[in-house]
Amino acid sequence: MLAVLLVTYPRASNYAAWCRSLVERKLAACVNVVELKSFYRWEGRVQEDDEVLLIMKTSTAAVQALKETVAREHPYKVPSIVELSPVDVNKPYLEWVLESTRA
């Protein structure tokens, strides 16, 4: 099955190299990057930051390892890691994701 992680990351960092390494390590089959501006409360103040939203597609077999890697390697003290479980996925795409994340 397919799992999707939504992870925000600071835009000013070298997120591209990190995303590439996640794919190279077969933790994610694909990472899409969307530039955005985030507003959030942190330590009692409202913050505004330029970030990217990383949409990570992986297999359910690899999702726990991916979440642990994100938590360990992410520059934020409390990274946003949201797991989505798609109900319906194009079968050829699903097969590609499963093959791409097979260790």
Side-chain angles (χ1 to χ4, degrees):
M1 298 302 298
L2 180 82
V4 177
L5 291 187
L6 303 178
V7 177
T8 53
Y9 207 85
R11 193 183 312 173
S13 68
N14 190 3
Y15 62 84
W18 187 62
C19 292
R20 178 179 294 279
S21 79
L22 295 174
V23 173
E24 287 172 347
R25 291 182 274 173
K26 295 188 172 187
L27 293 167
C30 174
V31 180
N32 302 113
V33 180
V34 180
E35 291 188 3
L36 53 89
K37 183 171 288 293
S38 295
F39 299 86
Y40 57 95
R41 182 173 299 282
W42 179 251
E43 297 180 340
R45 295 181 25 223
V46 174
Q47 304 289 324
E48 177 181 339
D49 284 313
D50 292 326
E51 293 183 306
V52 290
L53 173 63
L54 306 177
I55 305 167
M56 302 176 178
K57 291 133 185 177
T58 192
S59 63
T60 54
V63 73
Q64 189 58 39
L66 178 56
K67 288 194 285 191
E68 290 170 3
T69 300
V70 171
R72 184 176 56 253
E73 297 178 358
H74 199 285
Y76 290 167
K77 185 177 180 179
V78 181
S80 170
I81 305 169
V82 177
E83 181 180 346
L84 303 177
S85 300
V87 175
D88 188 25
V89 180
N90 177 13
K91 187 174 179 175
Y93 185 78
L94 175 60
E95 290 169 354
W96 173 78
V97 169
L98 297 177
E99 178 63 30
S100 296
T101 57
R102 194 168 290 128

